[in-house]
Amino acid sequence: MFVHTLARKGSLLLVGAALLLSACGSNQASGGNSSTPSSSPSSAVSTGAPAATGKPIKIGVLASLTGALESYGKQTTKGFELGIDYATKGTKTIAGHPIQFIIEDTETKSDVAVKKATKLLDQDKVDFLVGSSSSGDTLAVLPLAQEYKKVMVVEPAVADSITGEFWNKYVFRTARNSSQDAAAGAAAIAKPGIKIATFAPESAFGRDGIKAFKESAQKLGAQIVSEQYADAAATDFTANIQKIVSSKPDYLFIVWAGANTPWKQLQDMKVQQQGIKISTGAPDIAALKTMNDLIGMEGFSVYYNELSKTDTNKWLVEEHKKRFNGEVPDLFTAGGMSAAIAVVEAIKKTNGDVDAEKLIKAMEGMSFETPKGTMTFRPEDHQALQPLYAIKLEKKDGVAYPVPVLMRELTKEETTPPIRNKK
């Protein structure tokens, strides 16, 4: 019986292969294992089917299980486990090798991410790294992938520099990058004569996102009249918003991640009533719940469970509901699943060989099916080309947040980002 042991915030939750026990709220897994208090770091180990006789293939997953991006990390790890199940048809084996994965909490701190990644590589002897939730954490870990010569699949961090300035050949990314978001965001609002202000957190994610958006928007003829950045942990954005209003833009384009969103303060300061239209990405469901005042906004989405009509997404939605008390998968769940599928498909191509050079050769140009549709790792920088969605936020009966409604799918050709590395 496959058992997944997940330690979070000092307690161990034992989950059966189908995760039916967690769905039912049980604290006991098959075989008599029961949940017990623990002071150990947040981590998880999943072992493959006992029938497999080959050497286990180990995957180290870095995620924010605590900290500002906690919800992102928890979604990603759920999606990753679902993806392993989906891509191996429930066997959790590839070419006779059982799959093991170990989840480590980066705490959304770069120094902790390096410490946990080093532990995975030195002590656990993982064959792959996957992660992380934060671009800062991910950038700190990239040199370790090169030092230890291990493939790292980046999910969900989006900073352009990950597959740009700080890229190395061991890095592949299933997550979209800031330039892909930017292409979608700019297509929604930018044209000659339009004045746009921007607002983002002061972080690699925020800076890269705005840089990429500016590039796309200016190519379409728009003018950027103000750029504002705020501490991601801040709760008062008054000064930033005042400067934005003073610049008299037609649109305010916002790149944001984290728990402290600016939506309520933008409403309180009556930004839209002053003739400034707000445009942004439709994020995860928790953030959508704060965006009721943006109903009618046109923007873009990376993923929402109703947008994609692929068979893979249908499986994800149905299986997620079965395992998690009727809950639908969220933005980062789909990303975690995509990362797992990419790893499994790469190992299938090498017939179980985890030599990094062979994996790199197999993964460059590799296409694979995900909840969003077909992704392809671009050989030049290993960025996964993928579709995004032009959407409008609408009110839907029985749903407590604005729902992203599809206007049109933006193909992976439309959202192809510039190559920014120095390969």
Side-chain angles (χ1 to χ4, degrees):
M1 179 67 175
F2 162 76
V3 178
H4 176 198
T5 307
L6 184 58
R8 285 174 184 161
K9 295 186 176 180
S11 66
L12 291 176
L13 178 62
L14 300 182
V15 188
L19 293 186
L20 294 176
L21 295 174
S22 73
C24 297
S26 170
N27 67 352
Q28 188 168 4
S30 174
N33 296 315
S34 61
S35 61
T36 56
S38 170
S39 59
S40 62
S42 295
S43 63
V45 178
S46 157
T47 51
T53 57
K55 180 181 178 182
I57 294 173
K58 297 182 180 181
I59 307 166
V61 182
L62 298 164
S64 295
L65 300 181
T66 56
L69 303 182
E70 177 179 341
S71 65
Y72 297 5
K74 290 181 176 179
Q75 289 176 36
T76 302
T77 53
K78 281 183 180 179
F80 189 85
E81 183 166 355
L82 285 160
I84 293 292
D85 286 351
Y86 178 83
T88 65
K89 298 186 181 344
T91 68
K92 302 173 184 70
T93 65
I94 309 171
H97 297 270
I99 301 300
Q100 300 179 350
F101 62 91
I102 306 165
I103 300 173
E104 290 290 349
D105 180 12
T106 70
E107 303 174 26
T108 324
K109 298 175 182 176
S110 297
D111 59 334
V112 175
V114 170
K115 179 180 178 181
K116 296 296 182 67
T118 302
K119 178 259 184 188
L120 289 168
L121 293 161
D122 271 344
Q123 296 179 30
D124 299 308
K125 306 296 183 182
V126 297
D127 301 296
F128 288 85
L129 287 175
V130 173
S132 181
S133 309
S134 155
S135 289
D137 291 358
T138 305
L139 287 165
V141 172
L142 294 188
L144 292 176
Q146 184 170 32
E147 178 183 347
Y148 286 81
K149 295 181 171 58
K150 298 296 181 183
V151 169
M152 180 173 182
V153 177
V154 174
E155 180 66 51
V158 302
D160 275 350
S161 52
I162 291 168
T163 43
E165 180 182 359
F166 299 110
W167 175 86
N168 64 68
K169 72 176 185 178
Y170 299 95
V171 176
F172 289 78
R173 175 158 48 186
T174 50
R176 87 289 181 192
N177 69 16
S178 293
S179 290
Q180 287 162 302
D181 283 357
I189 63 173
K191 58 184 178 181
I194 292 294
K195 296 179 179 179
I196 303 173
T198 63
F199 189 31
E202 181 59 83
S203 64
F205 163 76
R207 287 278 178 180
D208 279 3
I210 295 303
K211 179 182 177 182
F213 174 79
K214 280 178 59 180
E215 184 177 26
S216 295
Q218 288 172 338
K219 283 182 179 178
L220 294 172
Q223 178 185 359
I224 306 300
V225 295
S226 179
E227 290 181 51
Q228 293 296 313
Y229 300 92
D231 186 335
T235 56
D236 184 2
F237 307 112
T238 301
N240 301 100
I241 295 172
Q242 287 175 339
K243 291 176 181 177
I244 287 165
V245 171
S246 296
S247 70
K248 298 181 179 180
D250 299 302
Y251 285 92
L252 169 58
F253 181 78
I254 301 174
V255 170
W256 207 265
N260 298 324
T261 61
W263 315 125
K264 186 178 186 303
Q265 196 162 10
L266 288 164
Q267 177 203 7
D268 292 344
M269 295 180 69
K270 296 180 169 52
V271 170
Q272 293 183 94
Q273 289 89 324
Q274 298 180 62
I276 301 171
K277 298 176 183 178
I278 294 174
S279 184
T280 188
D284 63 337
I285 291 172
L288 286 170
K289 289 178 179 178
T290 71
M291 298 173 71
N292 279 298
D293 297 298
L294 296 182
I295 289 173
M297 181 209 79
E298 295 184 7
F300 73 96
S301 175
V302 175
Y303 173 86
Y304 182 70
N305 70 90
E306 296 179 350
L307 296 175
S308 175
K309 306 303 181 185
T310 67
D311 289 341
T312 307
N313 189 55
K314 181 179 179 181
W315 183 94
L316 171 59
V317 173
E318 292 178 353
E319 193 67 19
H320 197 280
K321 287 180 178 179
K322 289 178 186 176
R323 298 190 188 192
F324 302 108
N325 296 320
E327 292 182 3
V328 295
D330 213 337
L331 191 163
F332 301 103
T333 321
M337 184 173 179
S338 298
I341 291 170
V343 170
V344 170
E345 292 304 313
I347 299 170
K348 285 179 181 177
K349 282 184 170 290
T350 63
N351 197 32
D353 193 331
V354 292
D355 175 77
E357 296 301 325
K358 292 178 181 177
L359 286 167
I360 291 169
K361 184 177 179 180
M363 294 173 75
E364 288 187 337
M366 182 180 81
S367 292
F368 50 101
E369 297 306 313
T370 78
K372 294 178 60 180
T374 304
M375 290 188 186
T376 302
F377 283 130
R378 182 166 58 185
E380 291 83 357
D381 61 358
H382 304 172
Q383 174 62 48
L385 306 182
Q386 57 195 275
L388 283 84
Y389 309 94
I391 57 92
K392 184 175 183 179
L393 292 184
E394 294 184 0
K395 183 65 177 174
K396 184 177 180 180
D397 290 343
V399 181
Y401 52 85
V403 172
V405 175
L406 183 66
M407 296 176 69
R408 72 182 183 93
E409 180 176 303
L410 302 169
T411 67
K412 62 184 181 181
E413 289 76 22
E414 290 180 277
T415 60
T416 296
I419 296 170
R420 300 184 186 277
N421 65 4
K422 299 177 181 178
K423 180 178 177 180

Short mmCIF file of all heavy atoms in Angstrom, two decimals, residues 359-382:
data_model
loop_
_atom_site.label_atom_id
_atom_site.label_comp_id
_atom_site.label_asym_id
_atom_site.label_seq_id
_atom_site.Cartn_x
_atom_site.Cartn_y
_atom_site.Cartn_z
N LEU A 359 18.83 12.94 -19.73
CA LEU A 359 17.53 13.58 -19.48
C LEU A 359 17.42 14.91 -20.22
O LEU A 359 16.38 15.22 -20.81
CB LEU A 359 17.34 13.80 -17.97
CG LEU A 359 17.04 12.56 -17.14
CD1 LEU A 359 17.19 12.87 -15.66
CD2 LEU A 359 15.62 12.05 -17.43
N ILE A 360 18.48 15.71 -20.19
CA ILE A 360 18.47 17.00 -20.88
C ILE A 360 18.22 16.80 -22.38
O ILE A 360 17.40 17.49 -22.99
CB ILE A 360 19.78 17.76 -20.64
CG1 ILE A 360 19.87 18.21 -19.17
CG2 ILE A 360 19.89 18.97 -21.58
CD1 ILE A 360 21.23 18.73 -18.76
N LYS A 361 18.91 15.83 -22.94
CA LYS A 361 18.73 15.54 -24.36
C LYS A 361 17.29 15.12 -24.66
O LYS A 361 16.70 15.53 -25.67
CB LYS A 361 19.70 14.45 -24.79
CG LYS A 361 19.65 14.13 -26.29
CD LYS A 361 20.69 13.07 -26.66
CE LYS A 361 20.62 12.75 -28.15
NZ LYS A 361 21.62 11.71 -28.52
N ALA A 362 16.70 14.33 -23.75
CA ALA A 362 15.33 13.87 -23.95
C ALA A 362 14.31 14.99 -23.77
O ALA A 362 13.27 15.03 -24.45
CB ALA A 362 15.02 12.74 -22.97
N MET A 363 14.61 15.92 -22.87
CA MET A 363 13.63 16.96 -22.52
C MET A 363 13.66 18.16 -23.47
O MET A 363 12.64 18.85 -23.61
CB MET A 363 13.86 17.42 -21.08
CG MET A 363 13.56 16.33 -20.05
SD MET A 363 14.01 16.76 -18.35
CE MET A 363 12.68 17.90 -17.94
N GLU A 364 14.78 18.44 -24.07
CA GLU A 364 14.85 19.57 -24.99
C GLU A 364 13.95 19.33 -26.19
O GLU A 364 14.14 18.36 -26.92
CB GLU A 364 16.29 19.82 -25.43
CG GLU A 364 17.15 20.41 -24.33
CD GLU A 364 18.54 20.82 -24.78
OE1 GLU A 364 19.01 20.27 -25.81
OE2 GLU A 364 19.15 21.67 -24.12
N GLY A 365 12.95 20.17 -26.36
CA GLY A 365 12.00 20.02 -27.44
C GLY A 365 10.85 19.07 -27.13
O GLY A 365 9.97 18.86 -27.97
N MET A 366 10.86 18.49 -25.93
CA MET A 366 9.84 17.51 -25.55
C MET A 366 8.46 18.16 -25.39
O MET A 366 8.33 19.19 -24.75
CB MET A 366 10.23 16.83 -24.24
CG MET A 366 9.27 15.74 -23.78
SD MET A 366 9.78 14.94 -22.21
CE MET A 366 9.18 16.16 -21.02
N SER A 367 7.44 17.56 -25.97
CA SER A 367 6.06 17.99 -25.78
C SER A 367 5.35 16.99 -24.88
O SER A 367 5.62 15.79 -24.94
CB SER A 367 5.33 18.09 -27.13
OG SER A 367 5.85 19.14 -27.92
N PHE A 368 4.45 17.48 -24.05
CA PHE A 368 3.74 16.62 -23.11
C PHE A 368 2.40 17.25 -22.79
O PHE A 368 2.22 18.47 -22.86
CB PHE A 368 4.57 16.39 -21.84
CG PHE A 368 5.09 17.66 -21.20
CD1 PHE A 368 4.49 18.22 -20.08
CD2 PHE A 368 6.22 18.30 -21.72
CE1 PHE A 368 4.97 19.38 -19.51
CE2 PHE A 368 6.72 19.47 -21.15
CZ PHE A 368 6.09 20.02 -20.04
N GLU A 369 1.43 16.39 -22.47
CA GLU A 369 0.07 16.85 -22.23
C GLU A 369 -0.13 17.23 -20.77
O GLU A 369 0.27 16.49 -19.86
CB GLU A 369 -0.93 15.77 -22.63
CG GLU A 369 -0.90 15.43 -24.11
CD GLU A 369 -1.06 16.65 -25.00
OE1 GLU A 369 -1.98 17.45 -24.73
OE2 GLU A 369 -0.29 16.80 -25.96
N THR A 370 -0.74 18.37 -20.52
CA THR A 370 -0.98 18.89 -19.18
C THR A 370 -2.44 19.31 -19.05
O THR A 370 -3.18 19.30 -20.04
CB THR A 370 -0.09 20.11 -18.91
OG1 THR A 370 -0.65 21.27 -19.56
CG2 THR A 370 1.33 19.90 -19.41
N PRO A 371 -2.88 19.69 -17.85
CA PRO A 371 -4.25 20.16 -17.71
C PRO A 371 -4.58 21.34 -18.62
O PRO A 371 -5.73 21.55 -19.00
CB PRO A 371 -4.34 20.56 -16.23
CG PRO A 371 -3.35 19.68 -15.56
CD PRO A 371 -2.21 19.56 -16.54
N LYS A 372 -3.57 22.12 -19.00
CA LYS A 372 -3.78 23.28 -19.86
C LYS A 372 -3.71 22.95 -21.34
O LYS A 372 -4.02 23.79 -22.18
CB LYS A 372 -2.73 24.35 -19.55
CG LYS A 372 -2.83 24.94 -18.17
CD LYS A 372 -1.73 25.94 -17.93
CE LYS A 372 -1.78 27.08 -18.91
NZ LYS A 372 -0.71 28.08 -18.70
N GLY A 373 -3.27 21.75 -21.67
CA GLY A 373 -3.05 21.40 -23.06
C GLY A 373 -1.60 21.01 -23.26
O GLY A 373 -0.88 20.69 -22.31
N THR A 374 -1.15 21.06 -24.51
CA THR A 374 0.22 20.62 -24.82
C THR A 374 1.23 21.70 -24.43
O THR A 374 1.09 22.87 -24.81
CB THR A 374 0.36 20.33 -26.31
OG1 THR A 374 -0.61 19.36 -26.69
CG2 THR A 374 1.76 19.79 -26.63
N MET A 375 2.24 21.31 -23.67
CA MET A 375 3.39 22.16 -23.40
C MET A 375 4.59 21.61 -24.15
O MET A 375 4.69 20.40 -24.38
CB MET A 375 3.71 22.22 -21.91
CG MET A 375 2.72 22.96 -21.05
SD MET A 375 3.36 23.14 -19.35
CE MET A 375 1.94 23.88 -18.55
N THR A 376 5.51 22.50 -24.51
CA THR A 376 6.74 22.09 -25.19
C THR A 376 7.92 22.82 -24.58
O THR A 376 7.90 24.05 -24.46
CB THR A 376 6.67 22.41 -26.70
OG1 THR A 376 5.54 21.75 -27.27
CG2 THR A 376 7.95 21.97 -27.40
N PHE A 377 8.95 22.07 -24.16
CA PHE A 377 10.15 22.69 -23.63
C PHE A 377 10.98 23.24 -24.79
O PHE A 377 11.48 22.47 -25.62
CB PHE A 377 11.01 21.69 -22.85
CG PHE A 377 10.50 21.38 -21.47
CD1 PHE A 377 10.37 20.06 -21.06
CD2 PHE A 377 10.20 22.39 -20.58
CE1 PHE A 377 9.92 19.76 -19.78
CE2 PHE A 377 9.74 22.10 -19.30
CZ PHE A 377 9.61 20.78 -18.90
N ARG A 378 11.12 24.55 -24.85
CA ARG A 378 11.91 25.17 -25.92
C ARG A 378 13.38 24.80 -25.73
O ARG A 378 13.95 24.99 -24.64
CB ARG A 378 11.72 26.69 -25.87
CG ARG A 378 12.45 27.44 -26.94
CD ARG A 378 11.96 28.88 -27.06
NE ARG A 378 12.08 29.65 -25.83
CZ ARG A 378 11.63 30.90 -25.68
NH1 ARG A 378 11.01 31.49 -26.69
NH2 ARG A 378 11.78 31.54 -24.54
N PRO A 379 14.04 24.27 -26.77
CA PRO A 379 15.43 23.82 -26.60
C PRO A 379 16.38 24.92 -26.15
O PRO A 379 17.33 24.64 -25.41
CB PRO A 379 15.80 23.31 -28.00
CG PRO A 379 14.49 22.94 -28.63
CD PRO A 379 13.50 23.94 -28.11
N GLU A 380 16.15 26.14 -26.58
CA GLU A 380 17.11 27.21 -26.32
C GLU A 380 17.22 27.59 -24.84
O GLU A 380 18.30 27.95 -24.36
CB GLU A 380 16.74 28.47 -27.11
CG GLU A 380 16.91 28.33 -28.61
CD GLU A 380 15.73 27.66 -29.30
OE1 GLU A 380 14.78 27.24 -28.60
OE2 GLU A 380 15.75 27.56 -30.55
N ASP A 381 16.11 27.57 -24.10
CA ASP A 381 16.16 27.98 -22.70
C ASP A 381 15.33 27.08 -21.77
O ASP A 381 15.21 27.36 -20.59
CB ASP A 381 15.71 29.43 -22.54
CG ASP A 381 14.27 29.66 -23.01
OD1 ASP A 381 13.63 28.70 -23.49
OD2 ASP A 381 13.80 30.81 -22.91
N HIS A 382 14.74 26.02 -22.33
CA HIS A 382 13.99 25.03 -21.55
C HIS A 382 12.72 25.62 -20.92
O HIS A 382 12.19 25.03 -19.97
CB HIS A 382 14.87 24.40 -20.47
CG HIS A 382 16.12 23.76 -21.00
ND1 HIS A 382 17.13 23.27 -20.18
CD2 HIS A 382 16.54 23.52 -22.28
CE1 HIS A 382 18.10 22.76 -20.93
NE2 HIS A 382 17.76 22.90 -22.21
#
